[in-house]
Short mmCIF file of all heavy atoms in Angstrom, two decimals:
data_model
loop_
_atom_site.label_atom_id
_atom_site.label_comp_id
_atom_site.label_asym_id
_atom_site.label_seq_id
_atom_site.Cartn_x
_atom_site.Cartn_y
_atom_site.Cartn_z
N MET A 1211 27.60 -5.80 5.29
CA MET A 1211 27.50 -6.12 3.88
C MET A 1211 26.17 -6.81 3.58
O MET A 1211 25.50 -6.49 2.61
CB MET A 1211 28.66 -7.02 3.47
CG MET A 1211 28.62 -7.43 2.02
SD MET A 1211 30.06 -8.41 1.64
CE MET A 1211 29.59 -9.00 0.05
N PHE A 1212 25.81 -7.77 4.44
CA PHE A 1212 24.56 -8.49 4.21
C PHE A 1212 23.36 -7.56 4.42
O PHE A 1212 22.33 -7.72 3.76
CB PHE A 1212 24.46 -9.70 5.15
CG PHE A 1212 25.43 -10.79 4.80
CD1 PHE A 1212 26.49 -11.08 5.63
CD2 PHE A 1212 25.30 -11.50 3.62
CE1 PHE A 1212 27.40 -12.07 5.32
CE2 PHE A 1212 26.19 -12.50 3.29
CZ PHE A 1212 27.25 -12.80 4.14
N ARG A 1213 23.50 -6.60 5.31
CA ARG A 1213 22.40 -5.66 5.52
C ARG A 1213 22.20 -4.81 4.29
O ARG A 1213 21.05 -4.49 3.92
CB ARG A 1213 22.70 -4.76 6.72
CG ARG A 1213 22.61 -5.48 8.03
CD ARG A 1213 22.86 -4.56 9.20
NE ARG A 1213 22.86 -5.29 10.46
CZ ARG A 1213 23.11 -4.74 11.62
NH1 ARG A 1213 23.38 -3.46 11.72
NH2 ARG A 1213 23.08 -5.48 12.72
N ALA A 1214 23.26 -4.41 3.64
CA ALA A 1214 23.15 -3.61 2.43
C ALA A 1214 22.46 -4.41 1.32
O ALA A 1214 21.58 -3.89 0.62
CB ALA A 1214 24.54 -3.16 1.96
N ILE A 1215 22.81 -5.68 1.20
CA ILE A 1215 22.18 -6.54 0.21
C ILE A 1215 20.69 -6.70 0.54
O ILE A 1215 19.83 -6.64 -0.34
CB ILE A 1215 22.89 -7.90 0.13
CG1 ILE A 1215 24.31 -7.71 -0.39
CG2 ILE A 1215 22.11 -8.87 -0.75
CD1 ILE A 1215 25.16 -8.96 -0.30
N ALA A 1216 20.38 -6.89 1.81
CA ALA A 1216 18.98 -7.05 2.22
C ALA A 1216 18.19 -5.77 1.93
O ALA A 1216 17.04 -5.85 1.49
CB ALA A 1216 18.92 -7.39 3.71
N ASP A 1217 18.80 -4.61 2.16
CA ASP A 1217 18.11 -3.35 1.88
C ASP A 1217 17.81 -3.20 0.38
O ASP A 1217 16.72 -2.76 0.00
CB ASP A 1217 18.95 -2.16 2.35
CG ASP A 1217 18.99 -2.06 3.87
OD1 ASP A 1217 18.07 -2.62 4.51
OD2 ASP A 1217 19.94 -1.44 4.38
N VAL A 1218 18.76 -3.58 -0.44
CA VAL A 1218 18.56 -3.50 -1.89
C VAL A 1218 17.44 -4.44 -2.31
O VAL A 1218 16.57 -4.08 -3.10
CB VAL A 1218 19.87 -3.83 -2.65
CG1 VAL A 1218 19.61 -3.98 -4.14
CG2 VAL A 1218 20.90 -2.74 -2.39
N LEU A 1219 17.44 -5.65 -1.76
CA LEU A 1219 16.39 -6.61 -2.10
C LEU A 1219 15.02 -6.11 -1.65
O LEU A 1219 14.02 -6.30 -2.35
CB LEU A 1219 16.69 -7.97 -1.46
CG LEU A 1219 17.90 -8.71 -2.06
CD1 LEU A 1219 18.15 -10.00 -1.29
CD2 LEU A 1219 17.68 -9.00 -3.53
N ARG A 1220 14.96 -5.45 -0.50
CA ARG A 1220 13.69 -4.89 -0.03
C ARG A 1220 13.19 -3.80 -0.96
O ARG A 1220 12.01 -3.69 -1.24
CB ARG A 1220 13.85 -4.33 1.38
CG ARG A 1220 13.92 -5.39 2.43
CD ARG A 1220 14.04 -4.78 3.83
NE ARG A 1220 14.53 -5.78 4.77
CZ ARG A 1220 15.36 -5.55 5.76
NH1 ARG A 1220 15.81 -4.33 5.96
NH2 ARG A 1220 15.74 -6.51 6.56
N GLN A 1221 14.09 -2.97 -1.43
CA GLN A 1221 13.70 -1.90 -2.34
C GLN A 1221 13.19 -2.48 -3.66
O GLN A 1221 12.20 -2.01 -4.21
CB GLN A 1221 14.88 -0.97 -2.61
CG GLN A 1221 15.23 -0.12 -1.40
CD GLN A 1221 16.43 0.77 -1.65
OE1 GLN A 1221 17.09 0.66 -2.68
NE2 GLN A 1221 16.73 1.65 -0.71
N ILE A 1222 13.87 -3.51 -4.15
CA ILE A 1222 13.43 -4.15 -5.39
C ILE A 1222 12.06 -4.79 -5.20
O ILE A 1222 11.17 -4.67 -6.04
CB ILE A 1222 14.47 -5.20 -5.85
CG1 ILE A 1222 15.76 -4.48 -6.27
CG2 ILE A 1222 13.92 -6.04 -6.99
CD1 ILE A 1222 16.92 -5.42 -6.54
N ALA A 1223 11.88 -5.47 -4.07
CA ALA A 1223 10.59 -6.11 -3.79
C ALA A 1223 9.49 -5.06 -3.67
O ALA A 1223 8.37 -5.28 -4.15
CB ALA A 1223 10.69 -6.94 -2.52
N GLY A 1224 9.78 -3.95 -3.06
CA GLY A 1224 8.79 -2.88 -2.95
C GLY A 1224 8.40 -2.33 -4.31
O GLY A 1224 7.21 -2.08 -4.57
N ALA A 1225 9.37 -2.16 -5.19
CA ALA A 1225 9.08 -1.67 -6.53
C ALA A 1225 8.23 -2.67 -7.30
O ALA A 1225 7.28 -2.30 -8.00
CB ALA A 1225 10.38 -1.39 -7.28
N ILE A 1226 8.55 -3.95 -7.17
CA ILE A 1226 7.78 -4.99 -7.85
C ILE A 1226 6.35 -5.01 -7.32
O ILE A 1226 5.39 -5.12 -8.09
CB ILE A 1226 8.46 -6.36 -7.69
CG1 ILE A 1226 9.78 -6.38 -8.47
CG2 ILE A 1226 7.55 -7.48 -8.16
CD1 ILE A 1226 10.63 -7.61 -8.23
N ALA A 1227 6.21 -4.90 -6.01
CA ALA A 1227 4.87 -4.91 -5.42
C ALA A 1227 4.05 -3.73 -5.92
O ALA A 1227 2.86 -3.87 -6.20
CB ALA A 1227 4.98 -4.88 -3.90
N THR A 1228 4.68 -2.58 -6.05
CA THR A 1228 3.98 -1.40 -6.55
C THR A 1228 3.49 -1.63 -7.97
O THR A 1228 2.34 -1.33 -8.30
CB THR A 1228 4.89 -0.17 -6.51
OG1 THR A 1228 5.31 0.04 -5.15
CG2 THR A 1228 4.18 1.07 -7.01
N VAL A 1229 4.35 -2.17 -8.82
CA VAL A 1229 3.98 -2.42 -10.22
C VAL A 1229 2.87 -3.45 -10.32
O VAL A 1229 1.95 -3.32 -11.11
CB VAL A 1229 5.23 -2.87 -11.03
CG1 VAL A 1229 4.83 -3.33 -12.42
CG2 VAL A 1229 6.24 -1.73 -11.12
N VAL A 1230 2.94 -4.48 -9.48
CA VAL A 1230 1.94 -5.54 -9.52
C VAL A 1230 0.57 -5.02 -9.06
O VAL A 1230 -0.46 -5.40 -9.61
CB VAL A 1230 2.38 -6.73 -8.65
CG1 VAL A 1230 1.25 -7.72 -8.45
CG2 VAL A 1230 3.58 -7.42 -9.29
N THR A 1231 0.55 -4.14 -8.09
CA THR A 1231 -0.74 -3.66 -7.56
C THR A 1231 -1.36 -2.56 -8.41
O THR A 1231 -2.55 -2.27 -8.23
CB THR A 1231 -0.58 -3.14 -6.12
OG1 THR A 1231 0.41 -2.11 -6.11
CG2 THR A 1231 -0.17 -4.26 -5.18
N LEU A 1232 -0.61 -1.96 -9.32
CA LEU A 1232 -1.17 -0.87 -10.13
C LEU A 1232 -2.43 -1.27 -10.90
O LEU A 1232 -3.42 -0.52 -10.88
CB LEU A 1232 -0.10 -0.32 -11.09
CG LEU A 1232 0.92 0.62 -10.45
CD1 LEU A 1232 1.98 1.00 -11.48
CD2 LEU A 1232 0.25 1.86 -9.91
N PRO A 1233 -2.46 -2.41 -11.60
CA PRO A 1233 -3.69 -2.77 -12.32
C PRO A 1233 -4.89 -2.95 -11.39
O PRO A 1233 -6.01 -2.59 -11.75
CB PRO A 1233 -3.35 -4.10 -13.01
CG PRO A 1233 -1.87 -4.19 -13.00
CD PRO A 1233 -1.39 -3.37 -11.85
N PHE A 1234 -4.64 -3.49 -10.21
CA PHE A 1234 -5.74 -3.69 -9.26
C PHE A 1234 -6.25 -2.35 -8.73
O PHE A 1234 -7.44 -2.17 -8.51
CB PHE A 1234 -5.28 -4.58 -8.11
CG PHE A 1234 -4.92 -5.97 -8.57
CD1 PHE A 1234 -3.59 -6.32 -8.71
CD2 PHE A 1234 -5.89 -6.89 -8.89
CE1 PHE A 1234 -3.24 -7.59 -9.14
CE2 PHE A 1234 -5.56 -8.15 -9.33
CZ PHE A 1234 -4.23 -8.51 -9.45
N ARG A 1235 -5.35 -1.40 -8.53
CA ARG A 1235 -5.78 -0.07 -8.10
C ARG A 1235 -6.60 0.60 -9.18
O ARG A 1235 -7.61 1.27 -8.90
CB ARG A 1235 -4.57 0.80 -7.77
CG ARG A 1235 -3.84 0.37 -6.53
CD ARG A 1235 -2.66 1.28 -6.25
NE ARG A 1235 -1.90 0.81 -5.12
CZ ARG A 1235 -0.80 1.41 -4.68
NH1 ARG A 1235 -0.35 2.49 -5.28
NH2 ARG A 1235 -0.15 0.94 -3.64
N ALA A 1236 -6.18 0.42 -10.44
CA ALA A 1236 -6.93 1.01 -11.55
C ALA A 1236 -8.32 0.39 -11.63
O ALA A 1236 -9.31 1.09 -11.85
CB ALA A 1236 -6.17 0.79 -12.87
N ALA A 1237 -8.41 -0.92 -11.45
CA ALA A 1237 -9.71 -1.59 -11.48
C ALA A 1237 -10.59 -1.11 -10.33
O ALA A 1237 -11.79 -0.92 -10.50
CB ALA A 1237 -9.51 -3.11 -11.41
N ALA A 1238 -10.00 -0.89 -9.17
CA ALA A 1238 -10.76 -0.41 -8.02
C ALA A 1238 -11.31 0.99 -8.28
O ALA A 1238 -12.39 1.33 -7.84
CB ALA A 1238 -9.88 -0.41 -6.77
N ARG A 1239 -10.56 1.79 -9.01
CA ARG A 1239 -11.06 3.13 -9.33
C ARG A 1239 -12.21 3.06 -10.31
O ARG A 1239 -13.14 3.87 -10.24
CB ARG A 1239 -9.93 3.98 -9.93
CG ARG A 1239 -8.92 4.40 -8.90
CD ARG A 1239 -7.83 5.27 -9.50
NE ARG A 1239 -6.82 5.60 -8.50
CZ ARG A 1239 -5.71 6.26 -8.78
NH1 ARG A 1239 -5.46 6.63 -10.02
NH2 ARG A 1239 -4.85 6.51 -7.82
N LEU A 1240 -12.15 2.09 -11.24
CA LEU A 1240 -13.24 1.94 -12.19
C LEU A 1240 -14.53 1.53 -11.49
O LEU A 1240 -15.60 2.02 -11.80
CB LEU A 1240 -12.87 0.90 -13.26
CG LEU A 1240 -11.79 1.33 -14.25
CD1 LEU A 1240 -11.45 0.17 -15.17
CD2 LEU A 1240 -12.24 2.53 -15.06
N PHE A 1241 -14.39 0.62 -10.53
CA PHE A 1241 -15.55 0.18 -9.76
C PHE A 1241 -15.53 0.96 -8.44
O PHE A 1241 -14.78 0.61 -7.53
CB PHE A 1241 -15.47 -1.32 -9.49
CG PHE A 1241 -15.38 -2.13 -10.76
CD1 PHE A 1241 -14.18 -2.67 -11.15
CD2 PHE A 1241 -16.51 -2.33 -11.54
CE1 PHE A 1241 -14.09 -3.40 -12.32
CE2 PHE A 1241 -16.43 -3.08 -12.70
CZ PHE A 1241 -15.21 -3.60 -13.10
N GLY A 1242 -16.32 1.99 -8.36
CA GLY A 1242 -16.28 2.89 -7.21
C GLY A 1242 -16.45 2.21 -5.88
O GLY A 1242 -15.80 2.57 -4.90
N GLY A 1243 -17.32 1.21 -5.79
CA GLY A 1243 -17.56 0.53 -4.52
C GLY A 1243 -16.32 -0.18 -4.02
O GLY A 1243 -16.05 -0.19 -2.82
N ALA A 1244 -15.54 -0.75 -4.93
CA ALA A 1244 -14.35 -1.49 -4.51
C ALA A 1244 -13.32 -0.54 -3.89
O ALA A 1244 -12.72 -0.85 -2.87
CB ALA A 1244 -13.74 -2.23 -5.70
N SER A 1245 -13.14 0.63 -4.49
CA SER A 1245 -12.15 1.56 -3.96
C SER A 1245 -12.60 2.14 -2.62
O SER A 1245 -11.80 2.36 -1.74
CB SER A 1245 -11.89 2.69 -4.96
OG SER A 1245 -13.05 3.45 -5.14
N ARG A 1246 -13.92 2.35 -2.49
CA ARG A 1246 -14.41 2.90 -1.22
C ARG A 1246 -14.22 1.90 -0.09
O ARG A 1246 -13.78 2.26 0.99
CB ARG A 1246 -15.89 3.26 -1.34
CG ARG A 1246 -16.13 4.46 -2.20
CD ARG A 1246 -17.61 4.74 -2.34
NE ARG A 1246 -17.83 5.70 -3.40
CZ ARG A 1246 -18.95 5.79 -4.09
NH1 ARG A 1246 -19.95 4.98 -3.85
NH2 ARG A 1246 -19.08 6.69 -5.04
N SER A 1247 -14.54 0.63 -0.36
CA SER A 1247 -14.39 -0.37 0.70
C SER A 1247 -12.92 -0.57 1.03
O SER A 1247 -12.56 -0.79 2.17
CB SER A 1247 -15.02 -1.70 0.28
OG SER A 1247 -14.34 -2.23 -0.84
N GLY A 1248 -12.06 -0.46 0.04
CA GLY A 1248 -10.63 -0.61 0.29
C GLY A 1248 -10.09 0.50 1.16
O GLY A 1248 -9.27 0.29 2.04
N ARG A 1249 -10.57 1.70 0.92
CA ARG A 1249 -10.08 2.83 1.71
C ARG A 1249 -10.54 2.74 3.15
O ARG A 1249 -9.80 3.01 4.06
CB ARG A 1249 -10.57 4.14 1.08
CG ARG A 1249 -9.90 4.47 -0.22
CD ARG A 1249 -10.44 5.75 -0.79
NE ARG A 1249 -9.92 5.99 -2.12
CZ ARG A 1249 -10.38 6.88 -2.96
NH1 ARG A 1249 -11.39 7.65 -2.60
NH2 ARG A 1249 -9.85 7.04 -4.15
N SER A 1250 -11.82 2.38 3.34
CA SER A 1250 -12.33 2.34 4.71
C SER A 1250 -11.70 1.18 5.48
O SER A 1250 -11.49 1.28 6.68
CB SER A 1250 -13.85 2.20 4.71
OG SER A 1250 -14.23 0.99 4.13
N GLY A 1251 -11.40 0.10 4.79
CA GLY A 1251 -10.83 -1.05 5.49
C GLY A 1251 -9.34 -0.89 5.76
O GLY A 1251 -8.82 -1.45 6.69
N GLY A 1252 -8.67 -0.09 4.95
CA GLY A 1252 -7.23 0.02 5.11
C GLY A 1252 -6.80 1.29 5.79
O GLY A 1252 -6.93 1.44 7.00
N ARG A 1253 -6.34 2.24 5.02
CA ARG A 1253 -5.81 3.47 5.60
C ARG A 1253 -6.91 4.33 6.22
O ARG A 1253 -6.71 4.96 7.23
CB ARG A 1253 -5.10 4.28 4.51
CG ARG A 1253 -3.93 3.54 3.92
CD ARG A 1253 -3.32 4.34 2.81
NE ARG A 1253 -2.23 3.60 2.17
CZ ARG A 1253 -1.66 3.98 1.06
NH1 ARG A 1253 -2.04 5.06 0.45
NH2 ARG A 1253 -0.69 3.25 0.54
N GLY A 1254 -8.07 4.36 5.56
CA GLY A 1254 -9.15 5.20 6.04
C GLY A 1254 -9.61 4.80 7.43
O GLY A 1254 -9.98 5.64 8.22
N GLY A 1255 -9.61 3.50 7.72
CA GLY A 1255 -10.04 3.05 9.03
C GLY A 1255 -9.14 3.59 10.13
O GLY A 1255 -9.61 3.97 11.19
N GLY A 1256 -7.85 3.67 9.88
CA GLY A 1256 -6.93 4.21 10.88
C GLY A 1256 -7.18 5.67 11.13
O GLY A 1256 -7.15 6.15 12.25
N ARG A 1257 -7.48 6.41 10.07
CA ARG A 1257 -7.74 7.84 10.22
C ARG A 1257 -9.03 8.06 10.98
O ARG A 1257 -9.11 8.94 11.82
CB ARG A 1257 -7.81 8.50 8.85
CG ARG A 1257 -6.47 8.52 8.15
CD ARG A 1257 -6.58 9.17 6.80
NE ARG A 1257 -5.31 9.11 6.10
CZ ARG A 1257 -5.17 9.31 4.80
NH1 ARG A 1257 -6.21 9.58 4.07
NH2 ARG A 1257 -3.97 9.24 4.24
N ALA A 1258 -10.04 7.25 10.68
CA ALA A 1258 -11.32 7.41 11.37
C ALA A 1258 -11.14 7.07 12.85
O ALA A 1258 -11.73 7.72 13.70
CB ALA A 1258 -12.37 6.49 10.74
N GLY A 1259 -10.32 6.09 13.15
CA GLY A 1259 -10.07 5.73 14.53
C GLY A 1259 -9.41 6.86 15.29
O GLY A 1259 -9.73 7.13 16.44
N ARG A 1260 -8.49 7.55 14.64
CA ARG A 1260 -7.82 8.66 15.31
C ARG A 1260 -8.79 9.79 15.57
O ARG A 1260 -8.77 10.40 16.62
CB ARG A 1260 -6.68 9.16 14.42
CG ARG A 1260 -5.52 8.21 14.32
CD ARG A 1260 -4.43 8.77 13.45
NE ARG A 1260 -3.41 7.76 13.18
CZ ARG A 1260 -2.52 7.87 12.24
NH1 ARG A 1260 -2.49 8.92 11.44
NH2 ARG A 1260 -1.63 6.92 12.04
N SER A 1261 -9.67 10.08 14.60
CA SER A 1261 -10.59 11.18 14.80
C SER A 1261 -11.59 10.86 15.92
O SER A 1261 -12.03 11.74 16.62
CB SER A 1261 -11.34 11.49 13.50
OG SER A 1261 -12.11 10.38 13.10
N ARG A 1262 -11.95 9.61 16.07
CA ARG A 1262 -12.86 9.22 17.14
C ARG A 1262 -12.21 9.41 18.51
O ARG A 1262 -12.85 9.81 19.45
CB ARG A 1262 -13.28 7.76 16.99
CG ARG A 1262 -14.18 7.51 15.81
CD ARG A 1262 -14.50 6.05 15.69
NE ARG A 1262 -15.04 5.74 14.38
CZ ARG A 1262 -15.02 4.55 13.84
NH1 ARG A 1262 -14.48 3.53 14.48
NH2 ARG A 1262 -15.52 4.34 12.64
N ARG A 1263 -10.94 9.15 18.60
CA ARG A 1263 -10.23 9.25 19.88
C ARG A 1263 -10.13 10.70 20.32
O ARG A 1263 -10.14 11.01 21.48
CB ARG A 1263 -8.84 8.64 19.77
CG ARG A 1263 -8.87 7.14 19.59
CD ARG A 1263 -7.48 6.59 19.39
NE ARG A 1263 -7.52 5.22 18.93
CZ ARG A 1263 -6.51 4.61 18.36
NH1 ARG A 1263 -5.38 5.23 18.17
NH2 ARG A 1263 -6.62 3.37 17.96
N VAL A 1264 -9.99 11.60 19.36
CA VAL A 1264 -9.85 13.02 19.68
C VAL A 1264 -11.21 13.57 19.96
O VAL A 1264 -11.71 13.81 20.94
CB VAL A 1264 -9.27 13.82 18.48
CG1 VAL A 1264 -9.25 15.29 18.79
CG2 VAL A 1264 -7.91 13.30 18.13
#
């Protein structure tokens, strides 16, 4: 029962986090340099690391 409640709370928190980050993502798109640095530092860095290993 507590696990079900925890799962619901996680889903709610995830939705809130998505809504909160939307304005910042929009601002990053407006400023091209900010979005580029964010991509290379976050998800893009992992992809580049995988391509280097192969």
Side-chain angles (χ1 to χ4, degrees):
M1211 178 177 169
F1212 291 111
R1213 289 182 184 177
I1215 294 171
D1217 289 338
V1218 171
L1219 291 176
R1220 285 182 198 143
Q1221 290 178 351
I1222 293 171
I1226 292 172
T1228 301
V1229 171
V1230 169
T1231 57
L1232 282 176
F1234 296 103
R1235 290 181 184 179
R1239 287 182 183 174
L1240 290 175
F1241 303 103
S1245 64
R1246 289 177 193 154
S1247 64
R1249 289 179 187 167
S1250 64
R1253 298 177 183 170
R1257 292 179 184 164
R1260 290 180 189 165
S1261 63
R1262 290 177 196 158
R1263 292 176 193 162
V1264 175

